[in-house]
Amino acid sequence: MAETEKLRIDKYLWAIRVFKTRSLATDACKAGRVKLKGQNIKPSAVVKIGDIYQISKGIERKVIEVIDFSYNRTDAKIAVTKYKDLTPVEETHAFKSVFHAPTLKRDRGAGRPTKKDRRETDDLLDSFWQEED
């Protein structure tokens, strides 16, 4: 690509696989979930090397620094080399802990839980969250 050609932020986020489609990247920018220096940016904002973006995607929060341009969507191994992940460890840990939380399911047809069952469930959940601290 020519050096004079500009790369839009929505296209860049799609190319480095932060968003599955370019329209999702565009919608995220319009909704204010992509920020540069704490300011909301438009989908047409020009990407520059060294820029640091804060991206909110559901409950996940990422901070990335642009290292190299990517005009087309490539495989994940190459896409990871185009940016540096600066997400704080606390944010990453908080996001991953959601997926490691115990999920409690009752057998189908077991009926409503008894008072004893509810107490055991509450004790189990309380012990899980206390170990994380």
Side-chain angles (χ1 to χ4, degrees):
M1 294 284 165
E3 285 187 45
T4 58
E5 188 168 336
K6 297 181 169 63
L7 179 62
R8 294 168 49 114
I9 185 65
D10 60 342
K11 187 172 182 180
Y12 179 74
L13 293 175
W14 165 76
I16 63 169
R17 297 179 167 266
V18 173
F19 291 98
K20 192 172 185 178
T21 64
R22 188 166 169 194
S23 61
L24 287 175
T26 303
D27 292 342
C29 291
K30 287 179 182 176
R33 292 190 298 264
V34 179
K35 298 178 186 280
L36 174 65
K37 299 177 186 170
Q39 299 293 320
N40 294 343
I41 57 173
K42 293 182 178 180
S44 61
V46 178
V47 176
K48 296 176 185 150
I49 292 178
D51 283 349
I52 298 175
Y53 295 98
Q54 297 87 23
I55 303 161
S56 299
K57 188 174 152 186
I59 60 170
E60 181 181 11
R61 301 208 188 321
K62 288 186 118 181
V63 179
I64 63 168
E65 179 182 356
V66 179
I67 293 176
D68 193 14
F69 295 137
S70 182
Y71 292 93
N72 297 317
R73 192 170 172 96
T74 58
D75 62 340
K77 290 179 182 177
I78 295 172
V80 173
T81 64
K82 304 292 182 181
Y83 66 94
K84 183 195 242 180
D85 193 359
L86 303 175
T87 307
V89 177
E90 305 86 42
E91 290 282 330
T92 306
H93 180 66
F95 176 69
K96 289 182 179 177
S97 69
V98 171
F99 295 105
H100 290 44
T103 56
L104 304 171
K105 294 184 180 179
R106 293 182 51 80
D107 293 332
R108 188 175 174 110
R112 292 180 57 173
T114 63
K115 198 172 194 177
K116 181 181 177 185
D117 292 337
R118 286 196 308 267
R119 284 188 194 126
E120 289 173 354
T121 302
D122 291 341
D123 290 342
L124 178 66
L125 289 174
D126 288 341
S127 67
F128 174 78
W129 292 113
Q130 288 174 357
E131 290 175 10
E132 290 291 320
D133 292 337

